[in-house]
Amino acid sequence: MANYSTNEFKGGLKVMLDGDPCAIVENEFVKPGKGQAFNRVKLRNLITGRVWERTFKSGESLEGADVVDLEMEYLYTDGDMWHFMKTDGSFEQYAVEKKALGDTAKWLKEQVVYTVTLWNDNAISVTPPNFIELEVVETDPGLKGDTAQGGSKPATLSSGAVVRVPLFINQGEVLKVDTRSGEYVSRA
């Protein structure tokens, strides 16, 4: 695999560190008035999800991680494994554990395409699309005369996620939700 020098570090780059694949979340180049320049790097372990900061002297290098991001369609769950299928026409299926799924579990919807990260042919993380459309299965009814600006209430979606929605949203409506922040965007 390729080696990346500190001047090639950027957000999203996947590297091997301490035997685990990690993604660079943030990279800041620091040139102090006295002494050698260095990079202050925020990394996220792709297996455990842990985020930490580390500094690298200018000129150091890290080995690139041998990870592959694939577009896969969510099929079903059998209780302890979640099954995804490649969308390239091969119909190859991968089973994903709860640990690799993480917070994405609350955004799962059948027949939606997710980005699955594979390392050594094992799924280590699942990333949902930025926006997803889900149905409201439970929410308090909106009352006539409720405020038109700023009022909100919790709504449980078909995937199990709970989001704050405006008061005019009713049970059975399909909503567009931002999966990065977990916020209501609009009606679908």
Side-chain angles (χ1 to χ4, degrees), residues 16 31-32 66 90 106 118 144 156 181:
M16 291 297 288
K31 175 127 180 52
D66 190 19
S90 69
K106 65 183 179 185
L118 299 176
K144 194 166 182 75
T156 305
S181 62

Side-chain angles (χ1 to χ4, degrees), residues 13-162:
L13 184 69
K14 294 178 175 69
V15 295
M16 291 297 288
L17 193 62
D18 303 329
D20 282 344
C22 299
I24 293 177
V25 178
E26 237 173 68
N27 175 45
E28 180 186 5
F29 178 74
V30 180
K31 175 127 180 52
K34 185 177 183 182
Q36 186 180 5
F38 63 92
N39 286 54
R40 188 176 296 127
V41 181
K42 193 181 275 187
L43 298 143
R44 182 171 46 86
N45 187 314
L46 292 174
I47 294 174
T48 63
R50 189 176 80 106
V51 177
W52 78 101
E53 216 170 78
R54 191 155 162 183
T55 59
F56 296 94
K57 290 180 190 163
S58 225
E60 279 189 77
S61 65
L62 288 175
E63 181 186 345
D66 190 19
V67 296
V68 181
D69 288 337
L70 293 173
E71 299 292 309
M72 291 192 191
E73 184 180 309
Y74 172 61
L75 298 175
Y76 64 95
T77 180
D78 58 15
D80 24 296
M81 299 296 262
W82 283 258
H83 297 272
F84 291 82
M85 178 181 68
K86 280 187 176 178
T87 57
D88 61 3
S90 69
F91 303 111
E92 192 176 338
Q93 292 186 20
Y94 285 87
V96 177
E97 296 175 353
K98 174 76 174 160
K99 186 176 77 170
L101 204 56
D103 278 349
T104 305
K106 65 183 179 185
W107 304 118
L108 286 180
K109 182 181 174 186
E110 291 176 0
Q111 299 177 345
V112 171
V113 176
Y114 296 81
T115 303
V116 179
T117 304
L118 299 176
W119 181 56
N120 292 343
D121 220 30
N122 291 321
I124 56 172
S125 73
V126 178
T127 309
N130 292 343
F131 300 99
I132 193 164
E133 294 179 359
L134 295 165
E135 184 182 346
V136 176
V137 291
E138 187 184 327
T139 188
D140 297 329
L143 301 172
K144 194 166 182 75
D146 275 343
T147 178
Q149 62 277 61
S152 68
K153 60 184 179 181
T156 305
L157 304 177
S158 58
S159 65
V162 176

